[in-house]
Amino acid sequence: MIDLHTHSLYSDGELLPSELWRRAQVKGYRYLAITDHVDASNFEVVFTRLRTAALSLNRGDYPVLIPGLEFTHLPPVLIAPIAAQARALGVPLIVVHGESLAEPVAPGTNRAAIEADIDILAHPGLITQKEAALARERGIFLELSARKGHCLANGHVARTALEVGASLLVNTDSHGPGDLITRQQAEGIAKGAGLRETAVQTLFTDAEALARRLAEI
Ligand SMILES: [Zn+2]
Ligand SMILES: [Zn+2]
């Protein structure tokens, strides 16, 4: 399993990074990114902690832990400048909390995220074809979410991404141990979003390539 969007108790998750990592190991994970919720007030301290966790846990056993951040409910105009600051700090993985149907995320967040230096637009809700095409151009992944509420637009996200050739991945957005899933369950979510077998295989190949690249940074 490759899961590039989860939360620890450094935001609103239930577990320390070490326990989340161990729980993921038992589920058969090979790559686990912890991407806690951040804004301008906490991205530096959260990244420092997650980087320390990754340095201590990455000793050769799976899963490879990737420290990341999820910019959450930022005014869209702030996304690009804070993403640039995070990159300068060495953050390998930047996720943006997209325009989920489940929350009042500011309109324009999807667009601003795709125009910024980020890696994954999470749960992008009713993303437009133009936005998905720009994501493709910029190499930004669009997320199919295993999380209740955020998953409501998975079918739309999958169809729109396929129409323009944007890369997809399945993330759990885990906040607790019961949210982690197996590779088989992730395949079910991708198929449930309407992807055919070959598109499902492409999704996992693309996600693996992204995870490997991020793990090297
Ligand atoms: Zn989110
Ligand atoms: Zn999240």
Side-chain angles (χ1 to χ4, degrees):
M1 178 62 187
I2 296 164
D3 188 355
L4 301 181
H5 180 179
T6 68
H7 298 276
S8 76
L9 50 67
Y10 292 125
S11 59
D12 58 351
E14 296 169 21
L15 304 177
L16 272 169
S18 57
E19 182 170 356
L20 186 56
W21 180 82
R22 172 60 189 158
R23 298 270 190 163
Q25 187 173 56
V26 170
K27 281 274 182 189
Y29 274 47
R30 289 185 301 125
Y31 292 93
L32 169 71
I34 301 180
T35 54
D36 276 305
H37 295 292
V38 294
D39 63 13
S41 69
N42 68 336
F43 74 91
E44 288 162 309
V45 62
V46 167
F47 178 65
T48 301
R49 290 178 173 208
L50 294 178
R51 183 174 53 191
T52 301
L55 286 171
S56 71
L57 293 167
N58 287 334
R59 302 162 64 88
D61 292 328
Y62 284 125
V64 177
L65 180 57
I66 298 165
L69 301 173
E70 182 181 14
F71 291 136
T72 306
H73 286 285
L74 291 180
V77 69
L78 296 183
I79 293 174
I82 296 183
Q85 282 179 267
R87 291 297 195 207
L89 207 62
V91 178
L93 169 60
I94 298 177
V95 177
V96 170
H97 186 86
E99 293 178 47
S100 169
L101 292 177
E103 286 178 23
V105 176
T109 294
N110 285 349
R111 181 84 196 184
I114 292 165
E115 288 174 348
D117 179 11
I118 71 152
D119 304 290
I120 297 171
L121 179 56
H123 44 72
L126 300 179
I127 186 169
T128 65
Q129 201 182 60
K130 261 192 182 169
E131 290 162 349
L134 187 59
R136 176 187 187 268
E137 230 171 81
R138 297 181 50 79
I140 293 167
F141 279 63
L142 304 179
E143 179 190 82
L144 302 180
S145 180
R147 190 158 180 78
K148 189 174 71 175
H150 290 333
C151 67
L152 288 170
N154 279 355
H156 170 81
V157 174
R159 181 169 54 81
T160 309
L162 281 181
E163 282 167 358
V164 299
S167 293
L168 289 164
L169 82 177
V170 175
N171 288 325
T172 66
D173 203 351
S174 288
H175 286 67
D179 298 333
L180 298 171
I181 62 175
T182 61
R183 163 72 177 243
Q184 203 179 7
Q185 287 173 298
E187 287 185 6
I189 288 165
K191 286 178 187 167
L195 295 187
R196 306 259 187 232
E197 189 59 43
T198 50
V200 172
Q201 292 318 314
T202 302
L203 177 152
F204 284 105
T205 305
D206 289 353
E208 170 130 22
L210 175 63
R212 279 174 189 249
R213 181 170 67 72
L214 296 173
E216 281 166 10
I217 294 172

